[in-house]
Amino acid sequence: MTSENNGDSNALHLLPGTDGEQVGGLIIKKKSQAVSSDEQHVFKVPQIPVSTSSFGLDKLAAEKRRAQSSAAASSSSSKRSKPSSSSFDDNDNDDEYKNSSNHKSRHLREQRVETPSSTRSSHHDLYDKSRLPPKNIQRGVVYGKEKHKQHRNKDNKDNDDDDRYATPNIRGSRESPSRAQWDDDDFDKRHSQWEYPTPNDSYNRQGYRKKRDTDYYNRKSNDTPLPTPSFRKSKRDEFNADDDQHNWEEEQKRIDREWYNNEDVVDDELNPFSNVSEEYTKKKEQALELRKKKRMSAQQRQINQDIEKWETNRMLQSGIVTKVNFQDDFDDESESRVHLLVTNLVPPFLDGRIRFTRQFEPVIPVKDPTSDMAIICRKGCQSVRKYREQKERRLAQEKFELGGTKLGNILGIKRRDEKDEQSEDVDYKKSQKFAEHMQGKNEAVSDFATKRTIDEQRKFLPIYAIQEDLLKIIRENSIVICVGETGSGKTTQMTQYLHESGYTKRGMIGCTQPRRVAAMSVAKRVSEEMQCKLGDDVGYAIRFEDCTSDKTIIKYMTDGILLRESLTDPDLDHYSAIIMDEAHERSLNTDVLFGLLREVVSRRQDLKLIVTSATMDSNKFSEFFGNVPIFIIPGRTFPVEPFFSKACVEDYVDAAVKQSIQIHLGAGDGDILVFMPGQEDIEVTCEVIKERLNDLEGAKPLSILPIYSQLPSDLQAKIFQKAEDGIRKCVVATNIAETSLTLDGIMYVVDSGYCKLKVYNPRIGMDALQIYPVSQANANQRMGRAGRTGPGQCFRLYTERNFREEMLKTNVPEIQRTNLANVVLLLKSLGIQDLLQFHFMDPPPQDNLMNSMYQLWILGALDNTGSLTQLGRQMVEFPLDPAMSQMLITSVAMGCSSEILIIVSMLSVPSIFFRPKGKEDESDAKREKFQVAESDHLTFLHVYIQWKKKWIFK
Ligand SMILES: Nc1ncnc2c1ncn2[C@@H]1O[C@H](COP(=O)(O)OP(=O)(O)OP(=O)(O)O)[C@@H](O)[C@H]1O
């Protein structure tokens, strides 16, 4: 087009201005004027609005205008004659073009003669609708709105700039906006847009339609072909009366208004909602949505949610969708993500290059993990499980007990008799006064004890016969291993023999025991034999309880106490002789004491060390101490007959109950001692025995007594007392009654074959109490509790094959299976820097040792070289776990030592909260009153403070 224009004067298109004289519109300059030939062509952004046609229609229009003006000059009447379709179109288009600039004002509709139409117009339709009954009118309006909406929505997709690009109407004979023509406008009916001469890119249906409609309504009357008779005119003629005509006109106006309100209103001025902002509309829509939602009932909402969930689930299941709310999940993930910086801090002295022990592999306290007994103890006892479930159910039922409630009163359900409960109440404050209970003289039960004097009883013991030989060998050797049957008199008699031989003139005779109860009960027995008050010549010392005095010459104590004493008195100068009793138990402290005492004896020639042991360990002990002599005490006090189970017992509680009842009902006089692994087993056994005896008619009464370490001391002491009215006693105990304990009257022992052992788990750094089969040595010790004051029987709830093939000969030493933090701290404080140089009878495994050292390093007790720090040195002084002693020391700097002291003290004794059987709920409720939500430790402190307040008040 540009090349054409270059040499043509017509290339300068001057469009006429609005007043005719003024040149207006777009002026397209010749290219030669605009740019020099050598200048490079630069495309410019087209000016909008531009009314020129890219197809040269503007030029065509100009030509036509010229032709028109000349034709008009020749014949003015030709204007009125029916033009050819093309000329009419062009003329029409031209007018529209002229009016396009002020088209806004054209939308005001005036009443005028309607263009006749071959088909019914929309206006006509509306008129018809107005004549319908009101119901139909309303329906019709609604229908019209909807229909119109559809059109509008369709049209809105198109360009809105139709006013700017007001394309001339070139539709030939379609001059009437009739319904038929409206329908014909449908683009689908066209073959192509290009069928029409103006393929204006801004052309669109709406624009076209609006243009056409507005043109139609605003066209001057003389633009309408006159010869066509007016439809309205003919209608109006039908009204004869003036009133009718007036009504008709009013009705027409109303229809018109309605039409404007409902039809395609293109002018914003007429649109009452044109000034409404989008924001307002949005708000309104949201409010409407909300209202809709609110109206939905909760039930319906839930149903909808469920349906939605179900659909999502189906979609996921079918595999169409693999993930829903991926973005949400992602957000949640990012919100909950926590960045952790994990630093593996290892002290230099634990870098793996240094060896600390000769024992590298951990030791499992079972001979064969696939053996029957090992599997049974892993599975746990069925009776215990069942009882636990029943108990929980019963407690749940009790919670919903109706007695005492309003509903219960209505139904006539009475509350349980509170008086009965009160009468069962025990004064639990007295419970911890163990020593008081041990002060009174134990009443003899057996013939052996009742019919013989103490002297006679002593002389009856196997050890009495070899007294001189024993004393001789002790005199000649610093260390002697003494082996003898259970009950032969090692624990009670040797101390007295040494005293009688004059060893107490140079110092005390100390006797260590692995268990507290044993230390107390044996001291009590010896004090009786020596006819002195417990704590005077004969006393005992256990943690937190020292029952000795300046006069004490024979001191029974736990091995931990002697170990502590070795810290302050490394050569144990207070002692002239030390008996390490029950050495085969291989407690942690005993093993450490072995190493220490070995050194002490080498330094002190006057110190005598006697180690008592079961037969199996004697050689090992002898070798450890340098092939020292082994002294064997021949014979036993009374025979004990062992009975093995014929088949392997799975439910040891049930078997023990049956065996105990059988003994009680069928066997001769004598008390029963049942060995169980733990507290829960004991409780269940006691309960089931009681239940079954109650069910039996004519069964003799039985005094059932439990004993375990967490039981208050007064209840523990009950096992040493004679049962009321001389009825049979049945003691159900853990292995705390296994060694050194003499319960007068025990003739029958029932051994479950299992015990609980503390086993250290290096992965979690903690000790755990787990059930394991006992060793043969333990089984013999258990059997030995019978036959001390008379012949006895031992019922073993395992087969002989179990005993021989599945049980270890002796215990796995505690040093090989527990946390060693305290031991390491102790050894370091004793100056043993290199643990390899310490003489362990059985060295601890590498993992246990390393973990314990790491724990101490974390607590600040060891430095980077593995040496004891100042803090570590202070920590050794406390008979506490390293963590607790560190807490206590740190509290001084933080000014809260009095509070921490209380907490640590309460943590170091058996639990202060006692849950009596059958009163667990009551006990828990009382405990809750003291509960401090933040911490159990603060709960302890709170309990103490409350107790102190009450005590001061009293
Ligand atoms: N409280 C007691 N009542 C009656 N007799 C007792 C009592 N204590 C000990 N005896 C008697 O003393 C004996 C020796 O007991 P002792 O504890 O010294 O034996 P032991 O050889 O140490 O046995 P174990 O190795 O089992 O500890 C018992 O067999 C028993 O006859």
Side-chain angles (χ1 to χ4, degrees):
M1 192 171 87
T2 20
S3 60
E4 252 179 61
N5 294 339
N6 277 344
D8 189 4
S9 62
N10 292 334
L12 181 62
H13 306 294
L14 295 177
L15 299 179
T18 44
D19 59 358
E21 287 171 25
Q22 186 195 348
V23 177
L26 177 68
I27 298 170
I28 303 170
K29 286 183 180 177
K30 283 182 183 178
K31 195 180 178 184
S32 54
Q33 287 173 326
V35 283
S36 60
S37 58
D38 57 331
E39 264 178 1
Q40 211 182 351
H41 175 74
V42 178
F43 286 101
K44 287 183 179 174
V45 179
Q47 297 279 317
I48 296 173
V50 181
S51 54
T52 54
S53 167
S54 54
F55 293 92
L57 291 176
D58 46 354
K59 282 194 283 174
L60 191 70
E63 275 173 25
K64 284 198 174 187
R65 268 195 303 275
R66 275 197 296 275
Q68 248 183 340
S69 59
S70 59
S74 61
S75 170
S76 60
S77 62
S78 66
K79 240 183 176 182
R80 293 280 173 191
S81 65
K82 196 175 178 180
S84 69
S85 68
S86 64
S87 63
F88 179 83
D89 276 356
D90 287 346
N91 194 17
D92 198 10
N93 287 349
D94 193 32
D95 287 345
E96 277 182 42
Y97 220 96
K98 279 178 196 168
N99 292 332
S100 67
S101 58
N102 58 351
H103 67 279
K104 278 185 183 173
S105 60
R106 296 180 308 179
H107 297 295
L108 288 170
R109 190 170 181 259
E110 288 170 15
Q111 273 206 359
R112 57 187 175 80
V113 178
E114 194 172 331
T115 310
S117 168
S118 58
T119 52
R120 286 160 68 85
S121 70
S122 60
H123 201 138
H124 194 169
D125 287 347
L126 274 167
Y127 172 75
D128 285 352
K129 279 173 199 168
S130 70
R131 298 187 56 91
L132 290 169
K135 197 179 162 191
N136 292 341
I137 289 172
Q138 201 184 353
R139 227 185 260 161
V141 169
V142 172
Y143 169 79
K145 266 183 187 174
E146 281 178 2
K147 189 155 188 181
H148 169 68
K149 256 188 210 169
Q150 285 170 5
H151 278 292
R152 198 186 311 185
N153 289 342
K154 228 195 270 178
D155 293 341
N156 281 346
K157 289 173 194 164
D158 300 326
N159 203 334
D160 288 337
D161 294 337
D162 53 317
D163 288 340
R164 279 184 288 153
Y165 299 96
T167 312
N169 191 346
I170 40 97
R171 308 204 107 194
S173 62
R174 296 174 189 182
E175 70 273 29
S176 170
S178 69
R179 173 59 62 196
Q181 281 172 346
W182 180 277
D183 291 339
D184 287 346
D185 286 348
D186 199 332
F187 272 47
D188 295 340
K189 291 181 181 174
R190 288 181 206 146
H191 299 294
S192 158
Q193 262 188 325
W194 303 104
E195 284 179 14
Y196 301 103
T198 316
N200 193 331
D201 58 355
S202 65
Y203 178 85
N204 60 64
R205 202 172 69 175
Q206 190 192 2
Y208 173 76
R209 198 178 68 211
K210 278 195 281 182
K211 196 88 194 137
R212 184 196 60 192
D213 292 346
T214 46
D215 285 343
Y216 168 73
Y217 288 110
N218 293 320
R219 203 178 289 146
K220 287 172 188 169
S221 57
N222 56 0
D223 290 341
T224 311
L226 286 175
T228 316
S230 167
F231 177 77
R232 201 175 287 176
K233 172 77 181 159
S234 61
K235 270 274 175 195
R236 193 180 287 182
D237 291 340
E238 288 172 25
F239 302 105
N240 297 320
D242 282 345
D243 280 346
D244 281 353
Q245 188 177 344
H246 176 74
N247 286 343
W248 185 87
E249 278 170 4
E250 280 301 312
E251 183 59 26
Q252 286 304 305
K253 279 180 190 174
R254 191 189 66 76
I255 291 166
D256 282 349
R257 269 200 306 279
E258 202 173 86
W259 189 90
Y260 273 111
N261 285 338
N262 296 299
E263 283 296 327
D264 197 3
V265 181
V266 289
D267 198 328
D268 284 351
E269 281 175 29
L270 291 177
N271 183 1
F273 302 108
S274 63
N275 291 331
V276 176
S277 68
E278 270 184 36
E279 206 180 337
Y280 176 82
T281 320
K282 265 186 192 171
K283 268 186 190 171
K284 274 280 167 195
E285 277 171 2
Q286 279 172 1
L288 261 171
E289 277 296 315
L290 262 176
R291 221 182 294 166
K292 266 188 207 169
K293 274 183 191 170
K294 270 179 194 168
R295 266 186 220 139
M296 196 189 288
S297 69
Q299 192 187 5
Q300 188 56 43
R301 206 164 26 246
Q302 187 57 47
I303 290 166
N304 289 351
Q305 280 174 7
D306 288 348
I307 291 168
E308 220 167 273
K309 272 184 194 169
W310 182 84
E311 280 174 358
T312 313
N313 175 272
R314 290 293 89 196
M315 284 199 286
L316 286 167
Q317 289 286 317
S318 64
I320 296 167
V321 178
T322 49
K323 238 177 196 181
V324 284
N325 294 335
F326 177 79
Q327 193 59 37
D328 288 359
D329 286 350
F330 186 76
D331 285 349
D332 286 351
E333 212 172 78
S334 61
E335 270 172 27
S336 60
R337 195 180 294 157
V338 178
H339 293 274
L340 288 177
L341 184 67
V342 182
T343 315
N344 188 20
L345 279 176
V346 181
F349 71 91
L350 285 182
D351 61 2
R353 280 171 293 173
I354 308 161
R355 272 179 65 200
F356 294 98
T357 173
R358 294 179 188 90
Q359 170 75 39
F360 294 99
E361 291 301 309
V363 182
I364 308 160
V366 195
K367 191 174 182 181
D368 177 11
T370 60
S371 63
D372 292 343
M373 289 187 85
I375 292 167
I376 289 167
C377 67
R378 260 206 308 277
K379 276 201 291 188
C381 182
Q382 204 190 338
S383 289
V384 176
R385 243 194 337 263
K386 207 168 126 189
Y387 181 81
R388 204 184 294 147
E389 284 167 12
Q390 279 176 356
K391 193 176 162 189
E392 280 165 10
R393 230 175 292 146
R394 202 169 51 235
L395 283 171
Q397 277 172 1
E398 277 171 16
K399 274 184 188 167
F400 293 102
E401 200 188 9
L402 291 173
T405 63
K406 279 183 183 174
L407 186 64
N409 293 339
I410 294 163
L411 294 171
I413 300 167
K414 284 180 185 171
R415 198 177 184 173
R416 273 190 301 159
D417 195 2
E418 284 185 359
K419 275 185 183 176
D420 289 351
E421 287 184 1
Q422 291 297 324
S423 63
E424 283 174 18
D425 277 351
V426 185
D427 185 4
Y428 298 113
K429 285 179 207 164
K430 286 182 183 173
S431 62
Q432 298 303 322
K433 297 167 186 171
F434 188 89
E436 278 181 23
H437 293 276
M438 297 295 285
Q439 286 296 339
K441 201 183 174 200
N442 286 343
E443 205 177 325
V445 178
S446 61
D447 284 351
F448 173 77
T450 48
K451 289 179 182 167
R452 296 168 197 247
T453 61
I454 291 274
D455 253 11
E456 284 170 349
Q457 288 174 34
R458 286 186 68 194
K459 283 174 186 166
F460 182 78
L461 300 176
I463 199 170
Y464 182 76
I466 45 98
Q467 182 186 357
E468 287 304 319
D469 296 339
L470 177 69
L471 286 170
K472 186 174 175 254
I473 206 163
I474 291 170
R475 252 194 318 271
E476 289 167 2
N477 296 280
S478 295
I479 304 171
V480 175
I481 311 295
C482 193
V483 179
E485 288 292 337
T486 53
S488 55
K490 302 181 290 293
T491 315
T492 52
Q493 304 307 307
M494 266 202 290
T495 48
Q496 294 183 65
Y497 296 160
L498 288 171
H499 164 60
E500 286 157 9
S501 303
Y503 282 93
T504 46
K505 286 177 190 159
R506 291 186 277 125
M508 281 193 295
I509 295 162
C511 181
T512 65
Q513 293 292 324
R515 295 196 178 87
R516 295 154 51 94
V517 187
M520 287 190 287
S521 67
V522 171
K524 173 88 171 56
R525 170 69 184 178
V526 174
S527 70
E528 280 172 12
E529 288 185 8
M530 286 178 69
Q531 293 172 350
C532 68
K533 198 183 163 210
L534 182 65
D536 284 354
D537 284 353
V538 182
Y540 68 89
I542 55 173
R543 195 162 68 143
F544 305 124
E545 198 175 343
D546 188 353
C547 188
T548 58
S549 63
D550 295 340
K551 288 198 275 179
T552 304
I553 45 172
I554 297 174
K555 182 178 176 179
Y556 288 91
M557 63 197 131
T558 54
D559 41 20
I561 293 289
L562 187 63
L563 200 58
R564 295 257 121 224
E565 285 182 12
S566 70
L567 277 174
T568 47
D569 182 9
D571 284 343
L572 298 169
D573 290 321
H574 291 91
Y575 297 94
S576 57
I578 290 169
I579 301 168
M580 288 187 70
D581 203 12
E582 314 294 354
H584 58 269
E585 279 278 307
R586 300 297 302 276
S587 71
L588 182 66
N589 293 329
T590 303
D591 266 28
V592 179
L593 273 174
F594 280 157
L596 291 177
L597 288 175
R598 195 173 175 269
E599 301 301 316
V600 174
V601 171
S602 65
R603 290 198 297 269
R604 273 187 62 191
Q605 296 299 317
D606 59 327
L607 184 70
K608 299 291 176 188
L609 179 65
I610 300 135
V611 179
T612 73
S613 149
T615 328
M616 300 122 177
D617 283 333
S618 54
N619 285 329
K620 191 176 181 180
F621 289 165
S622 169
E623 281 168 26
F624 176 76
F625 287 107
N627 292 319
V628 295
I630 300 169
F631 187 83
I632 295 168
I633 304 165
R636 64 181 311 142
T637 326
F638 295 102
V640 183
E641 195 180 353
F643 295 96
F644 288 98
S645 169
K646 282 178 186 153
C648 186
V649 172
E650 288 213 4
D651 192 336
Y652 53 82
V653 169
D654 185 59
V657 170
K658 279 180 187 163
Q659 191 60 55
S660 306
I661 292 174
Q662 210 175 316
I663 294 166
H664 178 55
L665 297 177
D669 286 350
D671 296 333
I672 308 163
L673 176 61
V674 184
F675 282 103
M676 280 289 152
Q679 182 181 337
E680 195 178 22
D681 309 275
I682 290 172
E683 283 176 355
V684 177
T685 309
C686 293
E687 197 64 37
V688 179
I689 291 174
K690 213 184 278 178
E691 276 173 19
R692 297 215 181 145
L693 281 177
N694 284 341
D695 292 344
L696 286 171
E697 268 183 41
K700 285 182 276 177
L702 181 71
S703 169
I704 304 161
L705 302 167
I707 180 166
Y708 44 87
S709 59
Q710 292 295 307
L711 198 72
S713 302
D714 63 330
L715 296 179
Q716 284 188 8
K718 272 192 176 182
I719 65 162
F720 299 100
Q721 294 157 9
K722 192 181 172 183
E724 280 174 27
D725 303 328
I727 58 170
R728 199 196 295 269
K729 205 162 67 174
C730 178
V731 179
V732 189
T734 58
N735 53 4
I736 69 164
E738 197 175 281
T739 51
S740 292
L741 216 67
T742 300
L743 297 173
D744 191 16
I746 296 286
M747 301 292 165
Y748 307 99
V749 166
V750 179
D751 178 16
S752 65
Y754 299 98
C755 68
K756 269 193 175 175
L757 290 178
K758 207 161 48 160
V759 178
Y760 181 65
N761 185 341
R763 272 188 300 169
I764 56 169
M766 285 174 86
D767 289 326
L769 268 175
Q770 287 177 327
I771 299 176
Y772 291 101
V774 293
S775 68
Q776 290 179 4
N778 287 122
N780 288 338
Q781 283 292 322
R782 288 181 175 189
M783 187 174 77
R785 296 313 104 193
R788 295 174 87 86
T789 52
Q793 290 178 332
C794 178
F795 298 91
R796 288 170 164 170
L797 304 177
Y798 39 87
T799 62
E800 201 168 350
R801 193 190 65 80
N802 289 149
F803 177 78
R804 293 191 196 288
E805 294 174 15
E806 296 182 10
M807 285 182 179
L808 291 163
K809 286 224 177 300
T810 55
N811 274 346
V812 171
E814 201 180 349
I815 201 164
Q816 293 202 314
R817 54 181 166 87
T818 54
N819 186 357
L820 301 167
N822 249 330
V823 173
V824 173
L825 201 61
L826 188 86
L827 293 179
K828 292 272 178 187
S829 72
L830 291 171
I832 301 155
Q833 187 65 21
D834 186 359
L835 292 176
L836 276 175
Q837 285 178 2
F838 187 75
H839 292 278
F840 286 112
M841 191 178 279
D842 291 296
Q846 180 93 354
D847 271 359
N848 291 12
L849 204 56
M850 300 271 271
N851 270 295
S852 305
M853 287 169 95
Y854 183 78
Q855 198 183 332
L856 289 172
W857 179 72
I858 291 284
L859 288 171
L862 297 181
D863 64 13
N864 287 341
T865 62
S867 306
L868 205 66
T869 60
Q870 186 58 34
L871 176 69
R873 219 169 289 282
Q874 287 176 314
M875 281 162 70
V876 185
E877 301 292 326
F878 296 96
L880 299 166
D881 270 353
M884 279 206 264
S885 44
Q886 200 245 26
M887 180 164 77
L888 201 54
I889 294 160
T890 313
S891 71
V892 179
M894 297 177 94
C896 56
S897 39
S898 59
E899 286 85 0
I900 294 295
L901 195 62
I902 293 162
I903 293 167
V904 166
S905 305
M906 292 175 96
L907 284 170
S908 305
V909 293
S911 177
I912 57 158
F913 296 109
F914 179 50
R915 294 178 88 217
K917 214 154 64 60
K919 295 193 172 186
E920 289 91 348
D921 277 356
E922 206 180 309
S923 152
D924 289 345
K926 291 243 167 84
R927 182 184 176 153
E928 224 164 74
K929 286 181 189 171
F930 297 100
Q931 197 76 34
V932 178
E934 289 80 10
S935 145
D936 284 349
H937 291 173
L938 291 178
T939 302
F940 281 138
L941 183 66
H942 185 55
V943 169
Y944 180 82
I945 291 167
Q946 293 303 313
W947 170 82
K948 203 176 169 187
K949 267 187 197 168
K950 210 173 174 186
W951 181 70
I952 289 167
F953 179 72
K954 270 187 178 176

